[in-house]
Amino acid sequence: MIVVGYTPDRYGAAALDHGIAEARVRGTGVRVVNATRGDALVDTKFAGDGDVDALESTLAESGIDHEIESDVSVDPVDALLGAMDRDDAELLVIGIRHRSPVGKLLMGSTAQRLLLQCDKPVLAVKPGE
């Protein structure tokens, strides 16, 4: 199973596209995880109902077996690492954005934490320009 860290933006779309491609190559399914901290009333990285409907449509059109998990948790990194702890998880695919070294220092980096803490392979992708 390919686990995709999804956000409803171009970074999430890039991760989804690559996750579907990896699933086809490996002959497996896709588990899409969209997680948010529970402390924010509005989180632009959390997929709303319309986003989930569009995501479901894209996955159905791909013909790949799939699951969608929307998780309100303490930390999105924990949700993704938890999905990767499952026996069937082979690869984590995440979208990344360019951030300055100072930005990483001040804000932390979800992608960096996933790259360092995940015990299984992680594919970090950028959207096309």
Side-chain angles (χ1 to χ4, degrees), residues 2-3 8 14 26-27 34 43 48 51 58 64-65 85 93 96 119 122 124:
I2 306 300
V3 176
R26 296 169 185 244
N34 179 237
D43 182 352
D51 298 317
T58 298
I64 300 289
D65 289 337
D85 281 341
V93 183
I96 59 171
D119 292 331
V122 178

Side-chain angles (χ1 to χ4, degrees), residues 2-4 14-24 29-30 64 93 123:
I2 306 300
V3 176
V4 175
L16 182 63
D17 290 345
H18 286 276
I20 289 170
E22 282 291 328
R24 284 191 176 117
V30 174
I64 300 289
V93 183
L123 174 60

Side-chain angles (χ1 to χ4, degrees), residues 51-68:
D51 298 317
V52 173
D53 291 344
L55 178 59
E56 176 64 42
S57 177
T58 298
L59 288 164
E61 289 173 13
S62 76
I64 300 289
D65 289 337
H66 61 275
E67 304 170 7
I68 299 174

Side-chain angles (χ1 to χ4, degrees), residues 24-91:
R24 284 191 176 117
V25 167
R26 296 169 185 244
T28 189
V30 174
R31 179 178 297 122
V32 179
V33 178
N34 179 237
T36 185
R37 289 181 177 86
D39 61 354
L41 294 177
V42 177
D43 182 352
T44 58
K45 294 181 181 174
F46 192 66
D49 292 340
D51 298 317
V52 173
D53 291 344
L55 178 59
E56 176 64 42
S57 177
T58 298
L59 288 164
E61 289 173 13
S62 76
I64 300 289
D65 289 337
H66 61 275
E67 304 170 7
I68 299 174
E69 294 181 6
S70 295
D71 190 6
V72 177
S73 63
V74 175
D75 187 351
V77 171
D78 291 339
L80 288 165
L81 292 175
M84 289 304 295
D85 281 341
R86 296 182 187 174
D87 290 338
D88 64 346
E90 300 175 39
L91 173 72

